[in-house]
Amino acid sequence: MILLIKAWIRIILKIIFSRLPINYHTWKKLNLFVHGNMNSPNYAFNVFNHHYSKVKNHLSNNYVLCEIGPGDSLYSGFIGRCFGSAKVILVDDGDYATKEIKHYENLQKYLNNNHQITHQIDLTYDFDKSLINSNIEYFSNGLESLKKLKTDSIDYLFSNAVLEHIPINIFVEMQKEIYRIIKPSGIISHRIDLRDHIGGGLNNLRFSNKVWESNLFKNSGFYTNRLRFYQLIKIFEDVGFDVDINIIEKWDKLPIKISRISKDLQLSNEDLHVSIFDVLLNPN
């Protein structure tokens, strides 16, 4: 009951705060509505390496990398360049990334002190010039940005706890665009977090589709599309991917009573128990 009350408090506060005339970068300074922990060099490297370590033997030299949802920094773009990528394309649904050069200088120091890298970051005092020098492109219009990328242009694409945030009404279309831009020989790595983004449980399943997909909830900073494990696998396969599940985390005991789940959501008990999973996709 206490956890449920806390979840409701978070929902109410986020609905209120999201309606205030304050831009995202101000919220970030207050540690509210933050898109991950990607301003930490160590965290960003660990996220990058979590995916890269699975696919690096599949990649040729000078591969083209694309990340969906880089969040609060473009660290993964510079890390990718330091680990053999000839070009990096970063796609998000908003301009969230910090452009303060000092953050990227901190990343450079971290990489030089802790890892053997194949390339150095080429930074200048100007952020946009640093992106150009490093052959990194940053797009912030979500699906529309993906549509502008060339067919069969990406060798390796990854996302980390991002796909669950893609609105359900455009989710399939986005997967089709990803299928279009990945090369026939390319590979994709996703980590998908199926917990709610309210308190790490399944409180998002309490609401009807009408309520959950309303603008009030959808635009308040805690939205997830509520697609479950088997639904996602079927979408990937229907789009045309070969699917390899390599990590699955499950709840031993569901954090919600089945009777409390909205009747709109016809989900199996087995499906509900998957909390996080990693998947590798290849165009078949």
Side-chain angles (χ1 to χ4, degrees):
M1 179 60 69
I2 293 175
L3 292 176
L4 179 57
I5 292 172
K6 288 182 177 179
W8 269 109
I9 291 173
R10 290 189 185 99
I11 288 173
I12 293 169
L13 289 177
K14 285 207 169 189
I15 288 173
I16 294 171
F17 289 159
S18 67
R19 267 64 187 171
L20 298 177
I22 299 174
N23 65 36
Y24 171 74
H25 293 284
T26 301
W27 284 125
K28 187 167 66 173
K29 290 178 182 178
L30 299 173
N31 203 31
L32 294 169
F33 300 103
V34 176
H35 293 95
N37 297 304
M38 295 301 283
N39 271 332
S40 162
N42 184 61
Y43 178 86
F45 175 81
N46 287 337
V47 167
F48 176 87
N49 194 53
H50 174 81
H51 296 275
Y52 177 70
S53 62
K54 299 176 184 180
V55 306
K56 61 183 179 182
N57 293 333
H58 185 92
L59 300 175
S60 60
N61 293 330
N62 298 320
Y63 62 92
V64 178
L65 166 65
C66 178
E67 182 188 8
I68 304 297
D72 284 344
S73 79
L74 304 187
Y75 281 3
S76 52
F78 289 100
I79 295 170
R81 291 288 285 121
C82 289
F83 284 84
S85 176
K87 180 178 181 179
V88 179
I89 298 172
L90 306 169
V91 179
D92 219 322
D93 69 344
D95 185 6
Y96 308 123
T98 182
K99 296 177 174 60
E100 296 182 39
I101 289 296
K102 65 179 182 180
H103 291 296
Y104 300 93
E105 291 173 342
N106 290 337
L107 173 66
Q108 187 175 45
K109 291 176 184 177
Y110 166 82
L111 292 173
N112 287 335
N113 291 336
N114 296 280
H115 302 285
Q116 291 184 335
I117 59 179
T118 59
H119 297 84
Q120 288 293 324
I121 297 175
D122 190 0
L123 295 176
T124 72
Y125 66 91
D126 181 84
F127 177 76
D128 292 331
K129 183 71 178 299
S130 296
L131 291 185
I132 293 170
N133 289 349
S134 299
N135 206 14
I136 297 173
E137 296 181 353
Y138 177 44
F139 301 102
S140 56
N141 199 21
L143 177 59
E144 295 307 310
S145 295
L146 275 181
K147 289 180 177 180
K148 294 177 181 178
L149 301 184
K150 292 181 180 179
T151 299
D152 297 342
S153 60
I154 305 299
D155 295 293
Y156 164 44
L157 181 146
F158 81 95
S159 74
N160 195 78
V162 170
L163 292 196
E164 65 268 21
H165 295 287
I166 306 301
I168 195 167
N169 61 304
I170 65 168
F171 188 88
V172 172
E173 186 178 5
M174 176 165 276
Q175 301 318 303
K176 289 179 178 178
E177 286 300 315
I178 290 174
Y179 186 89
R180 180 186 63 80
I181 65 175
I182 198 76
K183 292 180 180 178
S185 60
I187 191 166
I188 297 167
S189 177
H190 295 303
R191 163 154 281 207
I192 304 174
D193 186 348
L194 302 179
R195 299 171 297 180
D196 68 44
H197 287 50
I198 302 166
L202 287 174
N203 287 303
N204 56 343
L205 304 186
R206 295 175 181 273
F207 302 93
S208 69
N209 285 329
K210 183 177 181 180
V211 172
W212 189 255
E213 295 294 328
S214 68
N215 288 333
L216 182 65
F217 274 39
K218 205 170 185 178
N219 300 316
S220 297
F222 53 79
Y223 175 85
T224 55
N225 53 45
R226 305 197 295 180
L227 291 168
R228 312 314 298 172
F229 176 73
Y230 288 109
Q231 292 173 312
L232 289 162
I233 298 307
K234 187 176 188 306
I235 290 172
F236 295 143
E237 291 176 340
D238 287 348
V239 167
F241 290 112
D242 287 332
V243 178
D244 176 18
I245 308 299
N246 51 80
I247 292 179
I248 297 181
E249 297 182 20
K250 295 185 177 183
W251 278 290
D252 294 328
K253 180 181 179 181
L254 285 180
I256 187 174
K257 292 182 178 179
I258 298 293
S259 60
R260 299 299 184 185
I261 296 174
S262 171
K263 298 300 186 291
D264 288 357
L265 305 171
Q266 298 178 354
L267 304 170
S268 70
N269 191 54
E270 183 181 4
D271 212 3
L272 287 168
H273 272 83
V274 179
S275 58
I276 298 172
F277 73 100
D278 285 10
V279 60
L280 294 176
L281 305 177
N282 297 96
N284 63 33

